[in-house]
Amino acid sequence: MCSARYRKENEAVISRLPPTKEERSFQAFLWNRKAGTVLGRTASSWAKIGLFYIVFYAFLAGFFSLLMFVFYQTLDYHVPKYTGEESLLRNPGLSFRPRMDYIDDLRPTIFYSPKYGKSFTFSIDRFLEPYIHRPSNAIDCLPVDEGLFSDSVCYFDIYNLNTTCSKDNDWGYETNSPCILLKLNRMFHWRPVPLLDLNELPEGLQQHINSLADPHEALRQNAWVWCESKEVEIEQLSPGLPISFFPYFNQKGYLAPFVFVRVLNLSVEQKVTVRCRAWASNIQHQRDNRLLGEAVIHFQLY
């Protein structure tokens, strides 16, 4: 009895002794033959913790998959979930080509030389590729059409545009009079409401509309894009966007109307700012915000 008690007391004392140098080594941490542990855990301990994490992550993956499944049931792959008054967008933004570099305090700047203008020419050419061939469901829309509400689309004929900008002259980028293309971004079920009061439009645009054969009819049939610059002259021969091309609702082959604007006679090293706005009754403007109907483009010729 005493001998057994003595052995237990000795074992208790030994168990409280600090581990030996061999037991504290990294090799012993990786594999301790005496304790039967790997990385400080026995086989049963590793099995328990492994089973726990398998069940835990399987539950998380299943829960996430269920949420995604429910979420995707609320989406339509052809129509945005929120349009019109429910959407955060009140009107489409004004976008332009060519694509450009951002220099000088991150302002969009077309920084080019007539000798090296091919990249800008290529940007416009690539944008116009879908316009070259007439879509199979395209129709010739009349200016007075009430808008598109079927699977057909209006045909936008790029070969009959009233502009001096063309592929033959490389869109002006081999001269000091480059062109820019402007259009409204696509926005579901949105249709521009024409401005019928000339006094609400810029003075230059008023003069252009008054020079047309029927100014009142032109006002009724078009939204407008008009650009101005304090440094150079701007050529805008056809600034109207026919309302008959709207609304957009993801029709196959839809091609948005656009206008060309030409900046005339840039001087070398001259920094030029061109400010463009889209005009319709239901287009809001915010200065320097192309998402709200305004675009500002900077030019510099070198």
Side-chain angles (χ1 to χ4, degrees):
M1 178 70 70
C2 291
S3 176
R5 181 179 178 183
Y6 178 76
R7 283 198 303 270
K8 288 182 180 180
E9 290 177 352
N10 281 346
E11 289 174 358
V13 171
I14 293 173
S15 66
R16 291 196 298 269
L17 293 176
T20 64
K21 183 177 180 181
E22 182 180 348
E23 291 174 335
R24 295 197 306 269
S25 68
F26 182 69
Q27 182 178 357
F29 170 72
L30 294 177
W31 164 239
N32 190 323
R33 183 185 299 274
K34 182 178 179 181
T37 61
V38 177
L39 299 179
R41 290 184 178 274
T42 63
S44 61
S45 177
W46 278 117
K48 291 175 183 178
I49 197 171
L51 179 62
F52 168 79
Y53 278 110
I54 289 173
V55 174
F56 176 69
Y57 284 114
F59 172 78
L60 285 184
F63 183 67
F64 177 77
S65 299
L66 177 62
L67 289 181
M68 292 300 294
F69 173 78
V70 173
F71 171 72
Y72 275 107
Q73 301 312 302
T74 68
L75 299 181
D76 189 317
Y77 288 97
H78 304 287
V79 180
K81 185 174 180 62
Y82 298 109
T83 60
E85 293 298 324
E86 295 181 343
S87 173
L88 294 176
L89 299 175
R90 291 294 174 260
N91 55 256
L94 186 63
S95 61
F96 48 85
R97 297 293 187 280
R99 298 292 190 185
M100 57 195 67
D101 300 321
Y102 282 75
I103 61 174
D104 192 9
D105 298 328
L106 299 181
R107 296 183 301 177
T109 301
I110 297 180
F111 189 71
Y112 86 103
S113 165
K115 295 181 180 179
Y116 307 104
K118 288 296 183 182
S119 61
F120 298 108
T121 300
F122 176 73
S123 177
I124 296 178
D125 287 341
R126 186 168 58 178
F127 174 81
L128 292 177
E129 284 178 0
Y131 291 80
I132 295 175
H133 302 291
R134 182 181 180 124
S136 59
N137 60 332
I139 60 175
D140 294 317
C141 293
L142 299 175
V144 294
D145 284 351
E146 291 300 321
L148 297 171
F149 290 97
S150 66
D151 292 332
S152 61
V153 295
C154 288
Y155 176 56
F156 191 78
D157 189 357
I158 62 173
Y159 299 104
N160 289 321
L161 293 176
N162 182 19
T163 178
T164 59
C165 300
S166 70
K167 184 177 177 63
D168 294 336
N169 63 13
D170 290 316
W171 312 110
Y173 285 93
E174 290 193 353
T175 70
N176 64 341
S177 298
C179 299
I180 50 176
L181 180 155
L182 297 112
K183 73 177 189 70
L184 290 173
N185 293 334
R186 298 177 181 182
M187 183 173 172
F188 252 78
H189 296 166
W190 181 87
R191 189 165 187 254
V193 177
L195 276 168
L196 300 179
D197 186 356
L198 267 178
N199 295 324
E200 297 184 41
L201 298 172
E203 183 178 351
L205 182 54
Q206 292 181 34
Q207 295 174 2
H208 170 82
I209 295 173
N210 282 326
S211 69
L212 301 176
D214 191 341
H216 178 74
E217 195 64 19
L219 284 172
R220 192 173 71 86
Q221 295 172 0
N222 293 280
W224 307 91
V225 174
W226 191 254
C227 300
E228 295 178 334
S229 174
K230 296 180 180 179
E231 296 90 1
V232 292
E233 185 180 352
I234 305 292
E235 178 189 81
Q236 300 170 92
L237 300 180
S238 184
L241 297 175
I243 292 177
S244 56
F245 280 78
F246 301 90
Y248 167 73
F249 47 91
N250 203 23
Q251 308 97 308
K252 180 182 177 181
Y254 178 84
L255 298 173
F258 59 80
V259 302
F260 271 113
V261 173
R262 191 163 194 176
V263 181
L264 300 178
N265 302 321
L266 287 174
S267 300
V268 177
E269 299 299 331
Q270 180 186 16
K271 293 183 178 180
V272 172
T273 299
V274 178
R275 189 178 300 275
C276 302
R277 276 188 172 183
W279 293 91
S281 290
N282 54 342
I283 292 181
Q284 303 174 9
H285 297 117
Q286 182 173 318
R287 188 175 179 84
D288 297 341
N289 189 343
R290 67 185 182 90
L291 298 179
L292 286 175
E294 181 166 317
V296 179
I297 308 117
H298 304 273
F299 286 87
Q300 186 171 352
L301 179 68
Y302 68 91

